[in-house]
Amino acid sequence: MSRTMTRRALLRGSAAAAAGLAVAGAAVAASGQSATAMDHTGHGDHTGHGDPGLQPFDEVYQGRRITGRPVEGGHAAHHGGYAVTIDGKDLHLMQNADGTWISVVNHYQTYGDPLAVTRAAVDKLRGAVLVPIATA
């Protein structure tokens, strides 16, 4: 909390956010849909938000074996439906709402597909071993 932020201002902001959520909930209710019954046309079976056109890859890039493939379950499916490894170690990828991709190595730069973000991660690692993170 900043020095200029008072408890009163924080509570006022929290109340405004809660009011905004209430208005959004009322708008969904008025539209006749629940949050769990929203139309997901074009989103496959909702096991992941991944693009069904994404192809698997298996190549050597900068001397590192990189592989990627669509997945249909588990944690990777929740973050875009794509599993990637660098030299057999999992690289955690996430797909943004706009369809771009980020990884734990390149978290602040977006890429157009899993292959591009994986290659960028290899570049950023500069030969270092990828240490997988616990995502559970």
Side-chain angles (χ1 to χ4, degrees):
M1 197 158 68
S2 76
R3 293 176 192 259
T4 60
M5 176 66 73
T6 64
R7 187 173 298 171
R8 180 173 290 170
L10 184 63
L11 289 172
R12 191 177 306 129
S14 297
L21 287 172
V23 169
V28 168
S31 71
Q33 293 182 344
S34 73
T36 57
M38 294 177 72
D39 180 20
H40 291 286
T41 305
H43 292 283
D45 64 359
H46 200 61
T47 55
H49 298 283
D51 179 351
L54 292 175
Q55 298 299 314
F57 59 88
D58 184 350
E59 68 180 47
V60 175
Y61 176 75
Q62 304 268 338
R64 312 289 290 268
R65 164 84 52 202
I66 59 173
T67 63
R69 63 182 171 73
V71 293
E72 292 199 17
H75 192 76
H78 179 72
H79 287 286
Y82 213 83
V84 169
T85 64
I86 298 175
D87 294 333
K89 310 270 192 211
D90 289 327
L91 173 66
H92 186 73
L93 294 186
M94 294 150 284
Q95 188 174 25
N96 296 318
D98 66 357
T100 59
W101 294 81
I102 58 175
S103 76
V104 295
V105 176
N106 318 72
H107 204 79
Y108 297 105
Q109 185 166 356
T110 59
Y111 297 88
D113 59 49
L115 178 57
V117 74
T118 304
R119 287 177 175 164
V122 168
D123 292 340
K124 193 73 158 180
L125 286 169
R126 297 184 190 157
V129 175
L130 177 66
V131 178
I133 61 169
T135 57

